[in-house]
């Protein structure tokens, strides 16, 4: 496999897991100029629920990455012990002989990293939407206070 092929494999796995979240974020982007407070609340709730479901998948991917690392280390130790010659030569040959395990480990690490990033970004989007709605509510309160004060003065 080339690095591009491995990245495509990883991205394919991730996209299957975060499809719902990506769809919600695409909706937010498409309606960014027309978001009502109710729509913002809806997007926040949907993203939070998607993040909840996604968190277990993310943790499983991190666990798989740890398992892949353990399997690679075990394979390396076995390969190293079967080699003969100077240490440097044994290390080189063992590393070459476990290249499949190393690639699998890197792929799982990549997937786990992307999933962590995706979940972090989901939380950031929810935080931005919270800030937006709080800002709007503050503006509405100020406007109401100004209007009430102006009405009393008249």
């Amino acid at each position: 496999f080339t690095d591009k092929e491995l990245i495509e494999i990883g991205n394919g796995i991730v996209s299957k897991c975060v499809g719902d979240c990506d769809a919600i974020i695409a909706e937010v982007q498409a309606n960014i100029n027309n978001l009502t407070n109710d729509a913002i609340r809806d997007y926040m709730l949907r993203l939070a629920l998607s993040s909840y479901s996604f968190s277990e998948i993310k943790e499983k991917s991190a666990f798989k990455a740890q398992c892949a690392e353990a399997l690679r280390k075990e394979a390396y130790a076995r390969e190293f012990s079967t080699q003969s010659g100077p240490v440097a030569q044994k290390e080189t040959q063992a590393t070459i002989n476990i290249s499949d395990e190393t690639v699998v480990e890197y792929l799982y690490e990549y997937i786990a990293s992307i999933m962590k990033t995706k979940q972090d970004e989901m939380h950031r989007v929810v935080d931005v939407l919270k800030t937006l709605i709080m800002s709007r509510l503050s503006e509405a309160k100020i406007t109401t206070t100004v209007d009430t004060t102006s009405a009393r003065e008249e």
Side-chain angles (χ1 to χ4, degrees):
F1 289 109
T2 67
D3 59 333
K4 288 182 181 182
E5 291 171 328
L6 291 170
I7 289 171
E8 286 178 22
I9 291 169
N11 289 344
I13 291 168
V14 171
S15 68
K16 288 178 185 175
C17 298
V18 296
D20 291 344
C21 297
D22 286 344
I24 295 167
I25 291 173
E27 282 181 47
V28 171
Q29 288 175 329
N31 299 307
I32 196 77
N33 295 320
N34 306 321
L35 291 176
T36 64
N37 289 348
D38 287 340
I40 292 170
R41 286 185 200 99
D42 178 63
Y43 289 133
M44 288 169 48
L45 179 60
R46 289 170 55 199
L47 279 171
L49 291 172
S50 292
S51 179
Y52 172 80
S53 300
F54 179 70
S55 63
E56 183 178 345
I57 297 167
K58 180 193 71 83
E59 290 303 318
K60 285 179 182 177
S61 73
F63 177 71
K64 288 177 183 179
Q66 291 171 337
C67 289
E69 177 185 14
L71 292 172
R72 182 201 45 85
K73 286 179 178 180
E74 179 186 351
Y76 178 84
R78 270 189 271 112
E79 282 296 325
F80 185 85
S81 68
T82 63
Q83 302 300 318
S84 60
V87 171
Q89 181 181 353
K90 290 170 71 169
E91 287 175 348
T92 301
Q93 194 58 47
T95 300
I96 291 168
N97 290 349
I98 64 155
S99 61
D100 290 346
E101 288 87 349
T102 303
V103 168
V104 169
E105 177 189 4
Y106 292 160
L107 179 60
Y108 276 116
E109 286 175 356
Y110 172 74
I111 291 167
S113 176
I114 294 296
M115 287 191 177
K116 181 187 180 319
T117 300
K118 286 283 191 178
Q119 188 166 44
D120 291 347
E121 291 304 317
M122 282 185 257
H123 291 287
R124 282 189 192 99
V125 170
V126 169
D127 289 344
V128 167
L129 292 172
K130 281 182 200 174
T131 302
L132 177 60
I133 203 161
M134 294 303 291
S135 174
R136 285 182 177 182
L137 293 174
S138 293
E139 287 174 14
K141 184 176 180 180
I142 290 169
T143 303
T144 303
T145 303
V146 169
D147 290 345
T148 305
T149 305
S150 297
R152 286 184 194 157
E153 292 174 358
E154 293 175 0

